Amino acid sequence: MAVFSRGFGGRRREADPALPPGQYLTKDFPVLSAGPTPRIPTDEWTFRIVTEKATTTTWTWDEFLALPIEDIDTDIHCVTRWSKLGTSWRGVSIDTLMAEVDTDAQFAMAHCYGGYTTNVPMADLLGGKAWVAFEFDGAPLAPEHGGPARLLVPHLYFWKSAKWVNALVMQDRDRPGFWEQNGYHLHGDPWTEERYW
Ligand SMILES: Nc1nc2c(c(=O)[nH]1)N[C@H]1C(S)=C(S)[C@@H](COP(=O)(O)O)O[C@H]1N2
Ligand SMILES: [Mo]
């Protein structure tokens, strides 16, 4: 792991404007999970979007893979201070999924196999900013990293990128998810260091 000493912090950021404040670079891909890794066979996997009117849209794995697929090259930033630059993913944009859904809700809660939740405003999920990703680095997403599929919201701290995601449930206000109830910031912008509250 390429961990730079604190003394180089100022110069490092000048050298790498892609690194948000207080972050260091790693070449590794650390695994951070609050519980055991669920194993979900793709023939049992579904993804649901539930609106504020309790209308549910469901995709099976095959239906999901038949949607337009995008390649995503992006940096990721964990609140525990590691950042990884230039990661490559494939996934379906939340814009594509939401095009099939009728909602005016401003907020969503992501739900996962295993019970993890995280809240994200719709403004951070739409406009080409977020995906349900199923490949990393040209290979199927490993179970430890959220496979078969995870939310990818790379402009926010990585705890918002819910692994094993299986639903987005619209909510009328920005209610906190798992880590947000445990002291993490409601929003999580790495550039303004919205870490804890
Ligand atoms: N379902 C689920 N998603 C999760 C987590 C988790 O514990 N469970 N941890 C979050 C946190 S804190 C981080 S930093 C990233 C870590 O993703 P990685 O293990 O692929 O590096 O996943 C996020 N998504
Ligand atoms: Mo994290």
Side-chain angles (χ1 to χ4, degrees):
M1 176 157 59
V3 180
F4 295 84
S5 77
R6 285 177 191 278
F8 291 112
R11 217 175 304 167
R12 179 187 73 230
R13 272 198 293 285
E14 277 166 42
D16 207 333
L19 207 53
Q23 297 293 109
Y24 65 84
L25 285 172
T26 181
K27 302 270 182 219
D28 292 340
F29 195 175
V31 171
L32 281 132
S33 305
T37 295
R39 310 272 161 171
I40 308 100
T42 51
D43 60 0
E44 290 171 19
W45 182 93
T46 60
F47 182 79
R48 290 177 304 124
I49 295 180
V50 183
T51 72
E52 65 277 23
K53 291 166 195 147
T55 307
T56 302
T57 310
T58 307
W59 293 264
T60 64
W61 186 252
D62 289 342
E63 288 165 345
F64 175 70
L65 289 188
L67 296 168
I69 289 164
E70 299 180 11
D71 290 308
I72 308 117
D73 274 298
T74 190
D75 305 336
I76 55 179
H77 312 290
C78 176
V79 73
T80 62
R81 298 187 181 274
W82 57 266
S83 289
K84 197 170 165 58
L85 304 184
T87 60
S88 59
W89 306 78
R90 296 191 92 197
V92 174
S93 149
I94 303 296
D95 297 295
T96 298
L97 297 166
M98 289 306 295
E100 301 186 30
V101 175
D102 181 24
T103 178
D104 295 320
Q106 302 296 305
F107 304 103
M109 184 74 81
H111 292 257
C112 304
Y113 292 100
Y116 184 86
T117 55
T118 188
N119 55 296
V120 191
M122 290 310 297
D124 287 285
L125 292 175
L126 298 172
K129 291 185 193 159
W131 297 265
V132 174
F134 57 90
E135 277 186 27
F136 173 78
D137 226 358
L141 187 58
E144 293 73 21
H145 288 299
R150 77 184 295 165
L151 195 60
L152 179 65
V153 194
H155 73 287
L156 299 179
Y157 282 123
F158 211 38
W159 88 77
K160 296 291 185 181
S161 292
K163 303 196 281 190
W164 318 293
V165 70
N166 65 8
L168 286 179
V169 178
M170 301 303 129
Q171 46 179 8
D172 57 352
R173 58 191 179 83
D174 206 7
R175 292 190 176 81
F178 174 76
W179 279 122
E180 295 84 2
Q181 288 172 35
N182 286 284
Y184 283 27
H185 197 279
L186 207 56
H187 184 235
D189 175 5
W191 294 96
T192 54
E193 293 201 75
E194 293 176 338
R195 296 177 187 275
Y196 312 103
W197 63 336

